[in-house]
Amino acid sequence: MSDYKYSIEAKNVNKVFYKKSQKVNALIDFSIKLERGKIHGLLGPNGAGKSTFINILGGLVKKNSGNVNICGIDIDKNIKLSKFKIGIVPQELNIDPFFSPAELLELQAGLYGVPKRKRKTEEILENLKLTDQRNAYARTLSGGMRRRLLIGKALVHNPEMIILDEPTAGVDIDIRTSVWNYIKRISEQGKTICLTTHYLEEAENLCDNITIINYGKKIIEGSKNDLLNIISTKSVAFVLNKAVSIPEELKQFKPVIDKRLLKLSYDKNKTNIKKIIDILNSNQIEFKEINTFEGDLEDVFMKVINKNDDTV
């Protein structure tokens, strides 16, 4: 493999489309660095610019300005070599209906010039749970099977960088988990993965780092844990021994009481749970169970997207 730090390094990328003579800024000074060997999530609502950026990486869309390097290769200087460095799984299920999965993987490997002795068709089919369908016409496959076959096609030339554009859209939950596990195994082999997804649970489960994009601009970027720390609000629920009235000291925590369940919210940067327990003890409020809840990636996503919408 080549010596480079970032599998994708883009700086100040701009792309403008014209729809019915109307100017649409799909990407605006978009910059991103995808660290080698990591799983990076690229998140944003529909129309945010995610697919435009991926299509630029794949050579399907020409940027108006900016610089993009793929695995250390400037795409303006050597687009052909850069394409060999990446495997792209598109959103669209663009599969020839008259070929079987095994034939499609063999054909794709041939297009990339992979010698027969180095092809991993059977291994890919097995990992994507398609062995039983290896000789079936692609048109007979379910949507989830076709989605997995697209992932297989992107892997035949053993790329250093893999881009998964909504890889589990329309896939059953059990198959989704299988695909997740396969993605993790690929990452453990040293591959870099860029993942776009509408399933925030998926991003939280898989990604090391995350970039959120909206209206063609990068809104926020960082490690998954750093982004989760943006949400400082925590919730705690106490199962009380008996019904009580809420003391004045607890009202700052927005108390909600339902029979013997007391729910409170607090800022983890300003208050710790010991303070709340001390208030309960000082008011002789006894409890037999306690549960705490933290914000997840969906909370982060909604917070930064809504904040960005307010400024547009």
Side-chain angles (χ1 to χ4, degrees), residues 234-300:
K234 290 186 69 172
S235 299
V236 59
F238 296 91
V239 179
L240 306 177
N241 289 344
K242 60 182 179 179
V244 298
S245 57
I246 297 172
E248 191 67 32
E249 301 100 303
L250 283 182
K251 291 185 178 178
Q252 62 180 303
F253 303 116
K254 301 176 182 178
V256 175
I257 193 162
D258 181 13
K259 296 180 181 178
R260 295 187 183 183
L261 184 65
L262 173 64
K263 295 181 179 180
L264 305 169
S265 300
Y266 63 98
D267 188 329
K268 65 183 180 183
N269 296 324
K270 299 178 181 178
T271 304
N272 61 52
I273 198 166
K274 184 178 182 302
K275 178 180 178 180
I276 295 174
I277 292 174
D278 288 343
I279 294 174
L280 295 177
N281 290 336
S282 65
N283 287 273
Q284 288 80 50
I285 298 175
E286 298 179 352
F287 58 91
K288 57 185 176 182
E289 188 176 324
I290 179 172
N291 294 290
T292 59
F293 309 91
E294 292 201 57
D296 57 16
L297 192 57
E298 185 170 3
D299 297 319
V300 176

Side-chain angles (χ1 to χ4, degrees), residues 4 11 15 18 44 51 55 58 60 97 124 146 149 153 163 171 202 209 221 224 229 244 295 302 307 310:
Y4 57 88
K11 186 175 182 181
K15 178 59 189 175
Y18 290 91
S51 293
N55 287 334
L60 299 176
I124 292 171
R146 295 184 191 188
L149 182 54
K153 287 182 65 179
I163 299 170
V171 174
E202 185 164 71
N209 303 304
E221 185 175 64
K224 176 176 62 180
N229 283 334
V244 298
M302 294 308 300
K307 183 178 179 180
D310 292 339

Side-chain angles (χ1 to χ4, degrees), residues 127-142:
N127 282 321
L128 292 173
K129 310 297 184 189
L130 289 172
T131 300
D132 290 346
Q133 292 80 28
R134 70 180 311 284
N135 296 317
Y137 283 128
R139 68 175 183 270
T140 68
L141 302 180
S142 67

Side-chain angles (χ1 to χ4, degrees), residues 47-78:
K50 305 185 299 298
S51 293
T52 297
F53 181 63
I54 288 173
N55 287 334
I56 289 172
L57 296 178
L60 299 176
V61 169
K62 188 173 178 62
K63 57 186 170 57
N64 295 104
S65 61
N67 299 103
V68 177
N69 287 342
I70 299 175
C71 299
I73 300 166
D74 187 330
I75 65 171
D76 291 329
K77 296 179 179 178
N78 199 336

Side-chain angles (χ1 to χ4, degrees), residues 218-238:
K218 181 170 69 178
I219 307 305
I220 195 168
E221 185 175 64
S223 73
K224 176 176 62 180
N225 291 334
D226 286 345
L227 294 191
L228 289 173
N229 283 334
I230 289 174
I231 301 297
S232 59
T233 301
K234 290 186 69 172
S235 299
V236 59
F238 296 91

